[in-house]
C-alpha cells in the first residue's frame, strides 16, 4: 500500500516544526565557546529575568539574534526558491543562479553609494533593502522575458541570462568602487562583508516583519502555482489569473531576496537545494512544498551557520561558503540528471 | 439555446490574421468535428473559443453571453480544454495531475475523489495513478491530460452548460485507446456536454460528430453534417488526395477510403 502524499506531506511539516526549535537550541549551545544544551537553556530562561553572567551575555547579545536572523533569512530563501521554480516551471530556477541575487546586491551597492552618509541604523537598512529589491526585481523580469515561452522555460537561456546579469552586476560594482570616495568604499565593503554576524535585534525585527509578509502571501498562490506547472494557457483555462499570479510572485520574491541580501549578503543555493529535497520527499504540490521549504530553509541555514562558526573556531567562515559547499555538488548532480526532470 | 455561437469570428494574435470569418452554432450535447491540414488553424480556433486568443472582430458567445464577459473562474467551470502539447516538468503523480482539473470547482475533497475514480476508469488511467507523470510514455501522458480536461467538466452539476475542447486527443493512442476516446466522447455528449474535437481521423468524426467544420488557411471551407462535408471533391481541394467515400456497412455513415 502506497502511503498518500498528503499524509507524508503533513508528517514532514510536523517533523520540520519540531526540528526548527531544536536547531535553534543547537545554535545557542555550540560556538567558539561551547556552552552545552543545559547551560544554554538555563541562560535562555535567565535572559528573560535578568541578564548578567557570561552565558546569558553570549547567548542574548550574540547567538540568539544571529540564530534567529539565520532562520528568518533561510526561510525566505527556501520559500522564494520554491515559488520562483513554480513560475519558471523549472526546478533549476534558483535566485542566486539566475542573477536575482547579483542584481539585488548591485542595487544595494548603488543605494549605498548614492545615499552616502544617510546609511545608518534602521532607516539605512531600509534604503539598502529598497535598492536590493529594485535590483532583484529588474533581474527577474529580464531573465523571465528572455527564457520563458509557451513551451516552458529554456534551462540554457535561463542560466545564460543569469551569467550575463551576474557579470554585468560585477562590472558595474567595480565601476562603482572605482569612482567611490574612500568613505563610501569602506561602507560598501563593510556591508558586503557583513553576513549573519552583524545580527542584532533591530535587524531581526525588520527581517521578521518582511518574512511574515512573504510566508503569509506566497502560500495563497499555491493552487495557482500547481495549475501553472501545466503551462500558462492550461492554467488560464483552469480559471487562474496568470498575469496577476506572476506579478505578485515576482514582487514578493524580489522583496524576500532583496531583504535577505540587504541583511545577510549573498547566500547561494538554499533556494535550489531545499525545494528540491522537499519535492523528492513529498512531491511538487505547492500547498505543502511552500511551507515545508520555508521551514527546511530555516533549519538548513541555522545548521550551516553553526558549521561556519565552529569549523575553524575562533575564526568564522562566511555562511555563504558553507551553503556553496553543500549546494554546488548538488547542483552538478541535478544538471547531470536533468533529463529525469524533462528539461531540455 | 446555443451553448456556443460563433459569428464571423476573426483573430490575429501575432499580427497577420490566423482566423477569418468563422461562424457556427452548437447546442447542448452536440459534437463538432474540426478537420483540416496541418497549420489550417484548428488549434488556434480551439484556443480562441477557450479564451486564450482574443478575437479581433465578430461575436463569440458561450451560453448567450459574450465569452470575454465571463469571469475567469466561472468560465473554467463550464469550459475545459485539452491542449496538444503539455509540458509538465515536475513529478506530479497521475492522480494529482487529474485532480488539477478540479481546481476551479469548490466541490469538496470527497466529491473530487469520486470524480477522479470515475474519470480514471473512463480513460484507463487507474493503473497509472501513483506513477510520476514525467516518467510516462507519450500515449499515457495524452490519456492523463485527457482525463484532466474531462475531470473539469465531468459532473452535470458542475455548471449549467459544459463545453469540452479536445485538440487531437488520440494522436498518440493505440487502437483500443482510440476507441476509448470515442466511447468517452459519446458518454459525455449523452450527459449534455458539448464537445469540439479536432482530429485527422475522418472516419471517427463521420461516425460520431453531428457537425463537421473543415478549415483551410484560417478560413472556414465547409460546414455541415458528415454527409454534406465528406466528399471526394473536398479531399481533393483541401488535402490534395483522391479518396473514395463509401458507406459504413453497419451504421451507414460516410466511410473515407484511400485509393
Amino acid at each position: 500500500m502506497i502511503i498518500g502524499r498528503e499524509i507524508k506531506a503533513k508528517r514532514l511539516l510536523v517533523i520540520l516544526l519540531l526540528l526548527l526549535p531544536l536547531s535553534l537550541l543547537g545554535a545557542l549551545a555550540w560556538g567558539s565557546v561551547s556552552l552545552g544544551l543545559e547551560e544554554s537553556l538555563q541562560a535562555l530562561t535567565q535572559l528573560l529575568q535578568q541578564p548578567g553572567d557570561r552565558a546569558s551575555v553570549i547567548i542574548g547579545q550574540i547567538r540568539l539574534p544571529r540564530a534567529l536572523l539565520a532562520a528568518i533569512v533561510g526561510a525566505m530563501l527556501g520559500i522564494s526558491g520554491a515559488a520562483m521554480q513554480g513560475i519558471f516551471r523549472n526546478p533549476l530556477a534558483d535566485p542566486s543562479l539566475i542573477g536575482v541575487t547579483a542584481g539585488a546586491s548591485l542595487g544595494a551597492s548603488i543605494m549605498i553609494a548614492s545615499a552616502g552618509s544617510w546609511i545608518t541604523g534602521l532607516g539605512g537598512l531600509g534604503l539598502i533593502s529598497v535598492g536590493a529589491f529594485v535590483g532583484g526585481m529588474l533581474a527577474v523580469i529580464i531573465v523571465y522575458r528572455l527564457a520563458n515561452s509557451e513551451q516552458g522555460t529554456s534551462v540554457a537561456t535561463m542560466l545564460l541570462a543569469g551569467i550575463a546579469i551576474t557579470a554585468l552586476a560585477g562590472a558595474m560594482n567595480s565601476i562603482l568602487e572605482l569612482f567611490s570616495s574612500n568613505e563610501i568604499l569602506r561602507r560598501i565593503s563593510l556591508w558586503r562583508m557583513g553576513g549573519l554576524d552583524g545580527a542584532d535585534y533591530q535587524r531581526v525585527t525588520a527581517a521578521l516583519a518582511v518574512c511574515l509578509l512573504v510566508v503569509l502571501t506566497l502560500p495563497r498562490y499555491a493552487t495557482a502555482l500547481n495549475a501553472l506547472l501545466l503551462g500558462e494557457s492550461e492554467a488560464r483555462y483552469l480559471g487562474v489569473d496568470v498575469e496577476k499570479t506572476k506579478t505578485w510572485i515576482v514582487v514578493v520574491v524580489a522583496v524576500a531576496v532583496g531583504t535577505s541580501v540587504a541583511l545577510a549578503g549573498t547566500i547561494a543555493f538554499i533556494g535550489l537545494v531545499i525545494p528540491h529535497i522537499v519535492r523528492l520527499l513529498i512531491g511538487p504540490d505547492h500547498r505543502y512544498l511552500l511551507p515545508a521549504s520555508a521551514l527546511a530553509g530555516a533549519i538548513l541555514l541555522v545548521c550551516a551557520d553553526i558549521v561556519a562558526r565552529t569549523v575553524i573556531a575562533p575564526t568564522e567562515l562566511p555562511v555563504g561558503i558553507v551553503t556553496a559547499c553543500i549546494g554546488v555538488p548538488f547542483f552538478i548532480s541535478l544538471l547531470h540528471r536533468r533529463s529525469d526532470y524533462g528539461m531540455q | 439555446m446555443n451553448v456556443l455561437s460563433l459569428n464571423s469570428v476573426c483573430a490575429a494574435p501575432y499580427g497577420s490574421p490566423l482566423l477569418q470569418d468563422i461562424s457556427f452554432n452548437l447546442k447542448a450535447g452536440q459534437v463538432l468535428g474540426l478537420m483540416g491540414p496541418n497549420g489550417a488553424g484548428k488549434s488556434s480556433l480551439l484556443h480562441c473559443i477557450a479564451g486564450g486568443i482574443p478575437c479581433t472582430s465578430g461575436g463569440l458567445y458561450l451560453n448567450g453571453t459574450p465569452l470575454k464577459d465571463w469571469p475567469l473562474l466561472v468560465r473554467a467551470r463550464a469550459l475545459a480544454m485539452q491542449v496538444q502539447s503539455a509540458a509538465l516538468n515536475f513529478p506530479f503523480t497521475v492522480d494529482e495531475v487529474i485532480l488539477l482539473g478540479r481546481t476551479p470547482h469548490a466541490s469538496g475533497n470527497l466529491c473530487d475523489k469520486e470524480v477522479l475514480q470515475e474519470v480514471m476508469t473512463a480513460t484507463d488511467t487507474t493503473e497509472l495513478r501513483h506513477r510520476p507523470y514525467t516518467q510516462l510514455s507519450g500515449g499515457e501522458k495524452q490519456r492523463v491530460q485527457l482525463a484532466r480536461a474531462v475531470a473539469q467538466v465531468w459532473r452535470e452539476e458542475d455548471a449549467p452548460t459544459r463545453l469540452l475542447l479536445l485538440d487531437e486527443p488520440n494522436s498518440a493512442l493505440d487502437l483500443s485507446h482510440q476507441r476509448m476516446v470515442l466511447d468517452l466522447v459519446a458518454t459525455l455528449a449523452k450527459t449534455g456536454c458539448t464537445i469540439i474535437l479536432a482530429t485527422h481521423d475522418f472516419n471517427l468524426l463521420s461516425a460520431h460528430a453531428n457537425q463537421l467544420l473543415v478549415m483551410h488557411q484560417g478560413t472556414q471551407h465547409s460546414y455541415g453534417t458528415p454527409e454534406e462535408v465528406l466528399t471526394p471533391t473536398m479531399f481533393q481541394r483541401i488535402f490534395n488526395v483522391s479518396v473514395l467515400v463509401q458507406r459504413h456497412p453497419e451504421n451507414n455513415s460516410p466511410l473515407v477510403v484511400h485509393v
Side-chain angles (χ1 to χ4, degrees), chain A residues 5 89-90 151 229-230 234 237-240 279 284 341-342, chain B residues 47 50 52 72 76 83 87-93 96 152:
Chain A
R5 270 185 172 174
R89 278 174 282 150
N90 194 304
Q151 280 78 44
L229 292 187
L230 289 168
E234 281 90 335
Y237 303 154
L238 282 169
V240 173
R279 243 183 254 119
Y341 307 100
Chain B
H47 278 287
L72 216 52
V83 305
L88 175 60
N89 293 343
F90 286 77
F92 273 122
T93 54
E96 286 174 325
Q152 200 176 335

PDB file of all heavy atoms in Angstrom, chain A residues 5 89-90 151 229-230 234 237-240 279 284 341-342, chain B residues 47 50 52 72 76 83 87-93 96 152:
ATOM      1  N   ARG A   5       0.492  10.909  -0.613  1.00  0.00           N
ATOM      2  CA  ARG A   5       1.445  12.007  -0.497  1.00  0.00           C
ATOM      3  C   ARG A   5       0.982  13.060   0.494  1.00  0.00           C
ATOM      4  O   ARG A   5       1.791  13.700   1.147  1.00  0.00           O
ATOM      5  CB  ARG A   5       1.639  12.655  -1.864  1.00  0.00           C
ATOM      6  CG  ARG A   5       2.760  12.017  -2.663  1.00  0.00           C
ATOM      7  CD  ARG A   5       2.957  12.791  -3.932  1.00  0.00           C
ATOM      8  NE  ARG A   5       4.151  12.331  -4.629  1.00  0.00           N
ATOM      9  CZ  ARG A   5       4.497  12.770  -5.833  1.00  0.00           C
ATOM     10  NH1 ARG A   5       3.748  13.658  -6.446  1.00  0.00           N
ATOM     11  NH2 ARG A   5       5.580  12.331  -6.426  1.00  0.00           N
ATOM     12  N   ARG A  89       8.453  27.300 -14.047  1.00  0.00           N
ATOM     13  CA  ARG A  89       8.130  25.913 -14.388  1.00  0.00           C
ATOM     14  C   ARG A  89       9.417  25.125 -14.601  1.00  0.00           C
ATOM     15  O   ARG A  89       9.563  24.362 -15.555  1.00  0.00           O
ATOM     16  CB  ARG A  89       7.271  25.866 -15.658  1.00  0.00           C
ATOM     17  CG  ARG A  89       5.819  26.110 -15.367  1.00  0.00           C
ATOM     18  CD  ARG A  89       5.027  26.213 -16.626  1.00  0.00           C
ATOM     19  NE  ARG A  89       5.204  27.503 -17.233  1.00  0.00           N
ATOM     20  CZ  ARG A  89       5.138  27.720 -18.539  1.00  0.00           C
ATOM     21  NH1 ARG A  89       4.902  26.747 -19.365  1.00  0.00           N
ATOM     22  NH2 ARG A  89       5.307  28.932 -19.010  1.00  0.00           N
ATOM     23  N   ASN A  90      10.383  25.351 -13.745  1.00  0.00           N
ATOM     24  CA  ASN A  90      11.682  24.738 -13.921  1.00  0.00           C
ATOM     25  C   ASN A  90      12.391  24.583 -12.586  1.00  0.00           C
ATOM     26  O   ASN A  90      12.580  25.552 -11.878  1.00  0.00           O
ATOM     27  CB  ASN A  90      12.508  25.628 -14.834  1.00  0.00           C
ATOM     28  CG  ASN A  90      13.719  24.922 -15.345  1.00  0.00           C
ATOM     29  OD1 ASN A  90      14.518  24.438 -14.546  1.00  0.00           O
ATOM     30  ND2 ASN A  90      13.848  24.834 -16.626  1.00  0.00           N
ATOM     31  N   GLN A 151       6.194  27.053 -24.289  1.00  0.00           N
ATOM     32  CA  GLN A 151       6.611  25.663 -24.097  1.00  0.00           C
ATOM     33  C   GLN A 151       7.283  25.439 -22.750  1.00  0.00           C
ATOM     34  O   GLN A 151       7.728  24.342 -22.451  1.00  0.00           O
ATOM     35  CB  GLN A 151       7.589  25.231 -25.190  1.00  0.00           C
ATOM     36  CG  GLN A 151       6.931  24.849 -26.501  1.00  0.00           C
ATOM     37  CD  GLN A 151       6.521  26.073 -27.279  1.00  0.00           C
ATOM     38  OE1 GLN A 151       7.280  27.022 -27.381  1.00  0.00           O
ATOM     39  NE2 GLN A 151       5.305  26.094 -27.805  1.00  0.00           N
ATOM     40  N   LEU A 229       2.084  24.953 -13.375  1.00  0.00           N
ATOM     41  CA  LEU A 229       3.085  23.971 -13.793  1.00  0.00           C
ATOM     42  C   LEU A 229       2.652  23.253 -15.066  1.00  0.00           C
ATOM     43  O   LEU A 229       3.481  22.754 -15.824  1.00  0.00           O
ATOM     44  CB  LEU A 229       3.325  22.935 -12.685  1.00  0.00           C
ATOM     45  CG  LEU A 229       4.007  23.421 -11.415  1.00  0.00           C
ATOM     46  CD1 LEU A 229       4.314  22.243 -10.517  1.00  0.00           C
ATOM     47  CD2 LEU A 229       5.278  24.178 -11.719  1.00  0.00           C
ATOM     48  N   LEU A 230       1.344  23.205 -15.335  1.00  0.00           N
ATOM     49  CA  LEU A 230       0.850  22.554 -16.552  1.00  0.00           C
ATOM     50  C   LEU A 230       1.121  23.400 -17.780  1.00  0.00           C
ATOM     51  O   LEU A 230       1.059  22.915 -18.902  1.00  0.00           O
ATOM     52  CB  LEU A 230      -0.660  22.328 -16.448  1.00  0.00           C
ATOM     53  CG  LEU A 230      -1.162  21.274 -15.480  1.00  0.00           C
ATOM     54  CD1 LEU A 230      -2.652  21.417 -15.320  1.00  0.00           C
ATOM     55  CD2 LEU A 230      -0.822  19.895 -16.001  1.00  0.00           C
ATOM     56  N   GLU A 234      -2.957  26.411 -20.046  1.00  0.00           N
ATOM     57  CA  GLU A 234      -3.711  25.441 -19.269  1.00  0.00           C
ATOM     58  C   GLU A 234      -4.173  26.064 -17.950  1.00  0.00           C
ATOM     59  O   GLU A 234      -5.312  25.876 -17.533  1.00  0.00           O
ATOM     60  CB  GLU A 234      -2.863  24.200 -18.967  1.00  0.00           C
ATOM     61  CG  GLU A 234      -2.750  23.228 -20.114  1.00  0.00           C
ATOM     62  CD  GLU A 234      -1.570  23.539 -20.991  1.00  0.00           C
ATOM     63  OE1 GLU A 234      -1.122  24.711 -21.017  1.00  0.00           O
ATOM     64  OE2 GLU A 234      -1.076  22.627 -21.676  1.00  0.00           O
ATOM     65  N   TYR A 237      -7.066  28.267 -18.529  1.00  0.00           N
ATOM     66  CA  TYR A 237      -8.302  27.522 -18.760  1.00  0.00           C
ATOM     67  C   TYR A 237      -8.797  26.844 -17.487  1.00  0.00           C
ATOM     68  O   TYR A 237      -9.913  26.364 -17.434  1.00  0.00           O
ATOM     69  CB  TYR A 237      -8.124  26.481 -19.873  1.00  0.00           C
ATOM     70  CG  TYR A 237      -7.651  27.067 -21.184  1.00  0.00           C
ATOM     71  CD1 TYR A 237      -6.938  26.319 -22.101  1.00  0.00           C
ATOM     72  CD2 TYR A 237      -7.932  28.394 -21.510  1.00  0.00           C
ATOM     73  CE1 TYR A 237      -6.498  26.865 -23.298  1.00  0.00           C
ATOM     74  CE2 TYR A 237      -7.492  28.945 -22.700  1.00  0.00           C
ATOM     75  CZ  TYR A 237      -6.769  28.182 -23.588  1.00  0.00           C
ATOM     76  OH  TYR A 237      -6.337  28.731 -24.762  1.00  0.00           O
ATOM     77  N   LEU A 238      -7.925  26.784 -16.472  1.00  0.00           N
ATOM     78  CA  LEU A 238      -8.370  26.255 -15.180  1.00  0.00           C
ATOM     79  C   LEU A 238      -8.848  27.381 -14.266  1.00  0.00           C
ATOM     80  O   LEU A 238      -9.067  27.181 -13.080  1.00  0.00           O
ATOM     81  CB  LEU A 238      -7.234  25.485 -14.504  1.00  0.00           C
ATOM     82  CG  LEU A 238      -6.981  24.080 -15.049  1.00  0.00           C
ATOM     83  CD1 LEU A 238      -5.686  23.510 -14.506  1.00  0.00           C
ATOM     84  CD2 LEU A 238      -8.130  23.152 -14.716  1.00  0.00           C
ATOM     85  N   GLY A 239      -8.958  28.587 -14.821  1.00  0.00           N
ATOM     86  CA  GLY A 239      -9.526  29.692 -14.060  1.00  0.00           C
ATOM     87  C   GLY A 239      -8.522  30.498 -13.258  1.00  0.00           C
ATOM     88  O   GLY A 239      -8.895  31.272 -12.392  1.00  0.00           O
ATOM     89  N   VAL A 240      -7.207  30.325 -13.533  1.00  0.00           N
ATOM     90  CA  VAL A 240      -6.186  31.061 -12.792  1.00  0.00           C
ATOM     91  C   VAL A 240      -5.890  32.378 -13.504  1.00  0.00           C
ATOM     92  O   VAL A 240      -5.718  32.402 -14.724  1.00  0.00           O
ATOM     93  CB  VAL A 240      -4.884  30.233 -12.705  1.00  0.00           C
ATOM     94  CG1 VAL A 240      -3.769  31.047 -12.091  1.00  0.00           C
ATOM     95  CG2 VAL A 240      -5.116  28.976 -11.914  1.00  0.00           C
ATOM     96  N   ARG A 279      10.710  18.339  -2.616  1.00  0.00           N
ATOM     97  CA  ARG A 279       9.951  17.746  -3.725  1.00  0.00           C
ATOM     98  C   ARG A 279      10.207  16.238  -3.819  1.00  0.00           C
ATOM     99  O   ARG A 279       9.298  15.466  -4.114  1.00  0.00           O
ATOM    100  CB  ARG A 279      10.345  18.416  -5.036  1.00  0.00           C
ATOM    101  CG  ARG A 279       9.170  19.137  -5.677  1.00  0.00           C
ATOM    102  CD  ARG A 279       9.564  19.738  -7.003  1.00  0.00           C
ATOM    103  NE  ARG A 279       9.697  21.168  -6.871  1.00  0.00           N
ATOM    104  CZ  ARG A 279      10.787  21.850  -7.087  1.00  0.00           C
ATOM    105  NH1 ARG A 279      11.901  21.243  -7.441  1.00  0.00           N
ATOM    106  NH2 ARG A 279      10.805  23.146  -6.948  1.00  0.00           N
ATOM    107  N   PRO A 284       5.586  17.720  -5.821  1.00  0.00           N
ATOM    108  CA  PRO A 284       5.642  19.148  -6.137  1.00  0.00           C
ATOM    109  C   PRO A 284       4.405  19.966  -5.759  1.00  0.00           C
ATOM    110  O   PRO A 284       4.310  21.114  -6.149  1.00  0.00           O
ATOM    111  CB  PRO A 284       5.829  19.142  -7.657  1.00  0.00           C
ATOM    112  CG  PRO A 284       5.258  17.857  -8.110  1.00  0.00           C
ATOM    113  CD  PRO A 284       5.227  16.902  -6.968  1.00  0.00           C
ATOM    114  N   TYR A 341      14.042  15.242 -15.211  1.00  0.00           N
ATOM    115  CA  TYR A 341      13.063  16.263 -14.879  1.00  0.00           C
ATOM    116  C   TYR A 341      12.446  16.839 -16.149  1.00  0.00           C
ATOM    117  O   TYR A 341      11.840  17.891 -16.125  1.00  0.00           O
ATOM    118  CB  TYR A 341      13.708  17.365 -14.041  1.00  0.00           C
ATOM    119  CG  TYR A 341      14.412  16.794 -12.854  1.00  0.00           C
ATOM    120  CD1 TYR A 341      15.789  16.626 -12.859  1.00  0.00           C
ATOM    121  CD2 TYR A 341      13.688  16.347 -11.762  1.00  0.00           C
ATOM    122  CE1 TYR A 341      16.427  16.035 -11.787  1.00  0.00           C
ATOM    123  CE2 TYR A 341      14.315  15.759 -10.696  1.00  0.00           C
ATOM    124  CZ  TYR A 341      15.681  15.605 -10.709  1.00  0.00           C
ATOM    125  OH  TYR A 341      16.311  15.022  -9.655  1.00  0.00           O
ATOM    126  N   GLY A 342      12.644  16.140 -17.267  1.00  0.00           N
ATOM    127  CA  GLY A 342      12.038  16.575 -18.520  1.00  0.00           C
ATOM    128  C   GLY A 342      12.589  17.893 -19.015  1.00  0.00           C
ATOM    129  O   GLY A 342      11.895  18.635 -19.689  1.00  0.00           O
TER     130      GLY A 342
ATOM    131  N   HIS B  47      -8.172  27.469 -29.160  1.00  0.00           N
ATOM    132  CA  HIS B  47      -7.661  28.396 -28.147  1.00  0.00           C
ATOM    133  C   HIS B  47      -8.505  29.666 -28.113  1.00  0.00           C
ATOM    134  O   HIS B  47      -8.698  30.273 -27.057  1.00  0.00           O
ATOM    135  CB  HIS B  47      -6.201  28.748 -28.428  1.00  0.00           C
ATOM    136  CG  HIS B  47      -5.236  27.713 -27.914  1.00  0.00           C
ATOM    137  ND1 HIS B  47      -4.963  27.555 -26.581  1.00  0.00           N
ATOM    138  CD2 HIS B  47      -4.495  26.775 -28.556  1.00  0.00           C
ATOM    139  CE1 HIS B  47      -4.087  26.574 -26.428  1.00  0.00           C
ATOM    140  NE2 HIS B  47      -3.793  26.077 -27.608  1.00  0.00           N
ATOM    141  N   ALA B  50     -11.570  28.934 -26.234  1.00  0.00           N
ATOM    142  CA  ALA B  50     -11.275  28.772 -24.804  1.00  0.00           C
ATOM    143  C   ALA B  50     -10.903  30.100 -24.147  1.00  0.00           C
ATOM    144  O   ALA B  50     -10.791  30.180 -22.930  1.00  0.00           O
ATOM    145  CB  ALA B  50     -10.149  27.771 -24.614  1.00  0.00           C
ATOM    146  N   GLY B  52      -8.039  31.880 -24.844  1.00  0.00           N
ATOM    147  CA  GLY B  52      -6.598  32.110 -24.798  1.00  0.00           C
ATOM    148  C   GLY B  52      -6.121  33.062 -25.886  1.00  0.00           C
ATOM    149  O   GLY B  52      -5.116  33.735 -25.728  1.00  0.00           O
ATOM    150  N   LEU B  72     -13.252  34.625 -15.109  1.00  0.00           N
ATOM    151  CA  LEU B  72     -12.309  33.545 -15.408  1.00  0.00           C
ATOM    152  C   LEU B  72     -12.681  32.228 -14.725  1.00  0.00           C
ATOM    153  O   LEU B  72     -12.693  31.160 -15.353  1.00  0.00           O
ATOM    154  CB  LEU B  72     -10.920  33.998 -14.947  1.00  0.00           C
ATOM    155  CG  LEU B  72      -9.729  33.567 -15.782  1.00  0.00           C
ATOM    156  CD1 LEU B  72      -9.941  33.916 -17.236  1.00  0.00           C
ATOM    157  CD2 LEU B  72      -8.465  34.236 -15.261  1.00  0.00           C
ATOM    158  N   ALA B  76     -14.089  28.677 -16.259  1.00  0.00           N
ATOM    159  CA  ALA B  76     -13.319  27.443 -16.144  1.00  0.00           C
ATOM    160  C   ALA B  76     -14.184  26.284 -15.643  1.00  0.00           C
ATOM    161  O   ALA B  76     -13.842  25.126 -15.845  1.00  0.00           O
ATOM    162  CB  ALA B  76     -12.128  27.647 -15.212  1.00  0.00           C
ATOM    163  N   VAL B  83      -5.001  20.614 -24.402  1.00  0.00           N
ATOM    164  CA  VAL B  83      -4.147  21.169 -25.438  1.00  0.00           C
ATOM    165  C   VAL B  83      -3.247  20.068 -25.998  1.00  0.00           C
ATOM    166  O   VAL B  83      -3.120  18.997 -25.434  1.00  0.00           O
ATOM    167  CB  VAL B  83      -3.303  22.355 -24.932  1.00  0.00           C
ATOM    168  CG1 VAL B  83      -4.196  23.420 -24.330  1.00  0.00           C
ATOM    169  CG2 VAL B  83      -2.273  21.890 -23.949  1.00  0.00           C
ATOM    170  N   ALA B  87       3.631  20.618 -21.451  1.00  0.00           N
ATOM    171  CA  ALA B  87       4.977  20.471 -20.916  1.00  0.00           C
ATOM    172  C   ALA B  87       4.917  20.543 -19.402  1.00  0.00           C
ATOM    173  O   ALA B  87       4.876  21.622 -18.832  1.00  0.00           O
ATOM    174  CB  ALA B  87       5.875  21.568 -21.462  1.00  0.00           C
ATOM    175  N   LEU B  88       4.865  19.400 -18.744  1.00  0.00           N
ATOM    176  CA  LEU B  88       4.869  19.370 -17.283  1.00  0.00           C
ATOM    177  C   LEU B  88       6.175  18.734 -16.837  1.00  0.00           C
ATOM    178  O   LEU B  88       6.394  17.554 -17.050  1.00  0.00           O
ATOM    179  CB  LEU B  88       3.661  18.566 -16.774  1.00  0.00           C
ATOM    180  CG  LEU B  88       3.578  18.332 -15.271  1.00  0.00           C
ATOM    181  CD1 LEU B  88       3.522  19.632 -14.509  1.00  0.00           C
ATOM    182  CD2 LEU B  88       2.365  17.493 -14.933  1.00  0.00           C
ATOM    183  N   ASN B  89       7.062  19.540 -16.245  1.00  0.00           N
ATOM    184  CA  ASN B  89       8.397  19.050 -15.892  1.00  0.00           C
ATOM    185  C   ASN B  89       8.531  18.621 -14.445  1.00  0.00           C
ATOM    186  O   ASN B  89       9.613  18.289 -14.004  1.00  0.00           O
ATOM    187  CB  ASN B  89       9.435  20.146 -16.144  1.00  0.00           C
ATOM    188  CG  ASN B  89       9.577  20.442 -17.609  1.00  0.00           C
ATOM    189  OD1 ASN B  89       9.167  19.648 -18.436  1.00  0.00           O
ATOM    190  ND2 ASN B  89      10.125  21.599 -17.938  1.00  0.00           N
ATOM    191  N   PHE B  90       7.430  18.674 -13.704  1.00  0.00           N
ATOM    192  CA  PHE B  90       7.530  18.363 -12.284  1.00  0.00           C
ATOM    193  C   PHE B  90       6.859  17.017 -12.003  1.00  0.00           C
ATOM    194  O   PHE B  90       5.841  16.700 -12.605  1.00  0.00           O
ATOM    195  CB  PHE B  90       6.878  19.473 -11.456  1.00  0.00           C
ATOM    196  CG  PHE B  90       7.697  20.728 -11.408  1.00  0.00           C
ATOM    197  CD1 PHE B  90       7.731  21.594 -12.485  1.00  0.00           C
ATOM    198  CD2 PHE B  90       8.453  21.032 -10.294  1.00  0.00           C
ATOM    199  CE1 PHE B  90       8.500  22.746 -12.454  1.00  0.00           C
ATOM    200  CE2 PHE B  90       9.220  22.177 -10.249  1.00  0.00           C
ATOM    201  CZ  PHE B  90       9.241  23.036 -11.328  1.00  0.00           C
ATOM    202  N   PRO B  91       7.439  16.234 -11.093  1.00  0.00           N
ATOM    203  CA  PRO B  91       6.972  14.860 -10.906  1.00  0.00           C
ATOM    204  C   PRO B  91       5.663  14.743 -10.126  1.00  0.00           C
ATOM    205  O   PRO B  91       5.606  14.071  -9.104  1.00  0.00           O
ATOM    206  CB  PRO B  91       8.126  14.210 -10.138  1.00  0.00           C
ATOM    207  CG  PRO B  91       8.762  15.333  -9.394  1.00  0.00           C
ATOM    208  CD  PRO B  91       8.609  16.543 -10.250  1.00  0.00           C
ATOM    209  N   PHE B  92       4.604  15.394 -10.592  1.00  0.00           N
ATOM    210  CA  PHE B  92       3.281  15.135 -10.035  1.00  0.00           C
ATOM    211  C   PHE B  92       2.921  13.688 -10.338  1.00  0.00           C
ATOM    212  O   PHE B  92       3.249  13.183 -11.414  1.00  0.00           O
ATOM    213  CB  PHE B  92       2.234  16.030 -10.707  1.00  0.00           C
ATOM    214  CG  PHE B  92       2.065  17.380 -10.070  1.00  0.00           C
ATOM    215  CD1 PHE B  92       2.260  18.529 -10.805  1.00  0.00           C
ATOM    216  CD2 PHE B  92       1.678  17.497  -8.752  1.00  0.00           C
ATOM    217  CE1 PHE B  92       2.084  19.774 -10.231  1.00  0.00           C
ATOM    218  CE2 PHE B  92       1.502  18.742  -8.175  1.00  0.00           C
ATOM    219  CZ  PHE B  92       1.704  19.875  -8.910  1.00  0.00           C
ATOM    220  N   THR B  93       2.207  13.029  -9.426  1.00  0.00           N
ATOM    221  CA  THR B  93       1.701  11.710  -9.787  1.00  0.00           C
ATOM    222  C   THR B  93       0.472  11.895 -10.666  1.00  0.00           C
ATOM    223  O   THR B  93      -0.110  12.976 -10.727  1.00  0.00           O
ATOM    224  CB  THR B  93       1.313  10.901  -8.540  1.00  0.00           C
ATOM    225  OG1 THR B  93       0.407  11.687  -7.773  1.00  0.00           O
ATOM    226  CG2 THR B  93       2.501  10.559  -7.694  1.00  0.00           C
ATOM    227  N   GLU B  96      -2.620  13.265  -9.085  1.00  0.00           N
ATOM    228  CA  GLU B  96      -2.503  14.693  -8.776  1.00  0.00           C
ATOM    229  C   GLU B  96      -2.768  15.546 -10.011  1.00  0.00           C
ATOM    230  O   GLU B  96      -3.431  16.584  -9.943  1.00  0.00           O
ATOM    231  CB  GLU B  96      -1.114  15.012  -8.212  1.00  0.00           C
ATOM    232  CG  GLU B  96      -0.914  14.544  -6.782  1.00  0.00           C
ATOM    233  CD  GLU B  96       0.515  14.743  -6.288  1.00  0.00           C
ATOM    234  OE1 GLU B  96       1.462  14.591  -7.092  1.00  0.00           O
ATOM    235  OE2 GLU B  96       0.686  15.035  -5.116  1.00  0.00           O
ATOM    236  N   GLN B 152     -12.603  18.212 -15.434  1.00  0.00           N
ATOM    237  CA  GLN B 152     -13.035  19.593 -15.221  1.00  0.00           C
ATOM    238  C   GLN B 152     -14.530  19.779 -15.522  1.00  0.00           C
ATOM    239  O   GLN B 152     -15.170  20.657 -14.947  1.00  0.00           O
ATOM    240  CB  GLN B 152     -12.174  20.504 -16.106  1.00  0.00           C
ATOM    241  CG  GLN B 152     -12.143  21.950 -15.673  1.00  0.00           C
ATOM    242  CD  GLN B 152     -11.196  22.762 -16.540  1.00  0.00           C
ATOM    243  OE1 GLN B 152     -10.253  22.227 -17.128  1.00  0.00           O
ATOM    244  NE2 GLN B 152     -11.443  24.044 -16.650  1.00  0.00           N
TER     245      GLN B 152
END
